[in-house]
Amino acid sequence: MEIYLLLGFCVVLLVVILGMAISLNGKKRELEAVNKELTQTASRLRKADTMYREAMLGKENLNTIYEELKEQYERTNRLAYTDTITELPNRQQFDEILEGVTQTLRSGEYAALAILEFPDLRTTGDAFGKSTQNELLLDLTQRLKANIGFHDEYLARVGEDTFAVIFQNFDSVGELEERWNRLFRILTMPMQSGGRELVPKLYGACAVAPRDGKNAQLLSMNAELALCEAKSAGQSGYRYYEDAFARKAMQRMEMQADLRRAFREGQIAYAYGAQVNLKTNLVDVYEAVPQWNHPVHGKLALPAFRSVLEESEFCMPCFTDLITEAFAKQKAWEEKGYRDLQVAIPCLTRQLCDAEFTKLVYDVLQKTGANPSRIVFEISADAFKGKNGEIPDMLKKMTRSGFRFVLDDYGFEELPFSALFAAPLHGVLLGDSVLAGENAEAEKMLLALIPMLHNLHLKVTVRDIALEEQKVFLRKAGCDLAQGELYGGYLSEEMAVQYLRMSNVERGKN
């Protein structure tokens, strides 16, 4: 009995042990599963940590890239809207400011657009280099900055030699005029440039909104028209816009269109202006110029349309053909017995700068057989300015062949007296730049100037003579030649020959 009890107990104990073994095996599998899950979770956490760290690093990189792009944008924006030398607003920014000002004007309010052009900036750069030009530019900028901005004024550099100003908060033209005068007094004071004292030339123009334009585009256009009028005077000064300027500009455009048609239809011929010797009353020189046989306005000599011609595409061919025509006429008149008669040819500075100019002249000389000692080229003062330093040497070479050169429309404000030594000149032509002003002042100027020019062995010719008393005075002052309406103005070839005969037969008796 005890044995059975013991066996039963052992069986029960074995069953319990087996149950516990099975339970422990299940727990082991659960622990292994949990361990595996924990391992996977740790792996995911490590990956998440890595991704987080990469994300944070990426964020820092993105911030760096953002800051770089922001800085680049600001730099580009500054370059797009700011002048790099003066650090003033440039034209693009100024146009936007002007548009905003014109659009926000209330009833009874005014704003003025002023343009200031300093031609000496460009000529200084051509003559002495960019560093000297920038020195002068910064001096002008400082003067402008010191006197702009007290009345909600805006200042900008809108071109190589041009500034623009917006005037606001003025109640009358008188107040605007006062601001203008203050600026001009300051800006035209002498300044140092390249170790030289310079009194800058200044052209100014002004258009008032809304009177002269209700939007920025129209206001700017009218201010530019006024600037053209100021520049046409040739001396420092400023002009307010007038409606007549627009009409004049329209007439100029029409004239340009008519001139293109004139070349296509053969309306351009040649005319000759007599330059008469005041001692002998003989024609010493005939100035050959293009003449426009206008269907409405009649015959127009070169002075009447020269500025329009010089802007056209026909300018250089026209003056080149003029050289051929003048050489041929000199030869023809010489063969008719007028051996001492000279022929003068107005010459463009850009012709003289052309490397092929001397070749052209000598080719035409060989073709026509003209006498070079009877050919006179009229050259303007700007041939001796800026980067035209090789022109005087070229003129000396041509002078050795017999050609002569005279300085056209000489004036002290365009060219200093010392410049007369720079080239082998035969004479000077005096025109509006010297004769402008009261008669008494012009006479005093000529009485002093002519002897000085004679001491330099230069002949003096005065244009635009219309009255007999002018001729009498010029003869008394020692002037050599005179030209103008008193001597028939510009004549056709036939009329020029008739006048030449009359000069020899009748006027030579006086």
Side-chain angles (χ1 to χ4, degrees), residues 16-63:
V16 171
I17 291 171
L18 288 173
M20 291 178 65
I22 293 170
S23 176
L24 288 172
N25 189 47
K27 292 293 183 181
K28 179 181 178 182
R29 286 196 297 271
E30 288 178 3
L31 287 174
E32 289 177 350
V34 170
N35 184 56
K36 184 178 180 180
E37 186 177 349
L38 289 172
T39 301
Q40 292 175 348
T41 301
S43 176
R44 286 196 295 269
L45 286 174
R46 285 194 296 272
K47 290 181 180 179
D49 182 66
T50 302
M51 293 175 64
Y52 173 77
R53 292 178 182 276
E54 291 177 350
M56 292 301 295
L57 181 61
K59 180 181 178 182
E60 291 178 1
N61 291 336
L62 286 174
N63 287 335

Side-chain angles (χ1 to χ4, degrees), residues 3-29:
I3 294 173
Y4 289 116
L5 289 173
L6 181 61
L7 288 173
F9 177 77
C10 291
V11 171
V12 172
L13 181 61
L14 181 62
V15 171
V16 171
I17 291 171
L18 288 173
M20 291 178 65
I22 293 170
S23 176
L24 288 172
N25 189 47
K27 292 293 183 181
K28 179 181 178 182
R29 286 196 297 271

Side-chain angles (χ1 to χ4, degrees), residues 190-228:
M191 59 180 62
Q192 295 295 321
S193 174
R196 301 170 178 82
E197 185 175 86
L198 173 67
V199 178
K201 180 179 287 188
L202 170 60
Y203 301 127
C206 187
V208 181
R211 184 190 67 189
D212 302 327
K214 296 182 179 180
N215 57 62
Q217 183 177 5
L218 183 57
L219 197 65
S220 296
M221 182 182 70
N222 290 339
E224 292 287 351
L225 289 175
L227 182 64
C228 291

Side-chain angles (χ1 to χ4, degrees), residues 236-307:
S236 293
Y238 60 86
R239 298 294 300 271
Y240 289 94
Y241 171 75
E242 301 174 11
D243 290 339
F245 298 164
R247 292 193 295 270
K248 185 176 179 180
M250 183 61 66
Q251 292 171 356
R252 188 177 184 86
M253 291 175 61
E254 293 174 353
M255 194 172 188
Q256 289 171 341
D258 289 345
L259 185 61
R260 286 191 289 271
R261 188 180 306 110
F263 277 98
R264 290 196 301 268
E265 297 178 1
Q267 298 174 7
I268 304 297
Y270 300 98
Y272 305 88
Q275 295 179 359
V276 177
N277 189 311
L278 290 173
K279 293 181 180 178
T280 65
N281 286 326
L282 299 175
V283 178
D284 276 8
V285 183
Y286 260 132
E287 181 188 31
V289 298
Q291 184 180 65
W292 183 1
N293 297 318
H294 197 283
V296 177
H297 303 294
K299 294 182 178 180
L300 302 176
L302 179 63
F305 65 97
R306 179 166 184 161
S307 61

Side-chain angles (χ1 to χ4, degrees), residues 54-82:
E54 291 177 350
M56 292 301 295
L57 181 61
K59 180 181 178 182
E60 291 178 1
N61 291 336
L62 286 174
N63 287 335
T64 302
I65 294 172
Y66 170 77
E67 292 297 331
E68 290 176 353
L69 290 174
K70 181 180 178 182
E71 182 180 352
Q72 184 177 357
Y73 171 78
E74 291 175 351
R75 184 168 58 252
T76 304
N77 195 56
R78 285 195 301 271
L79 291 173
Y81 286 93
T82 306

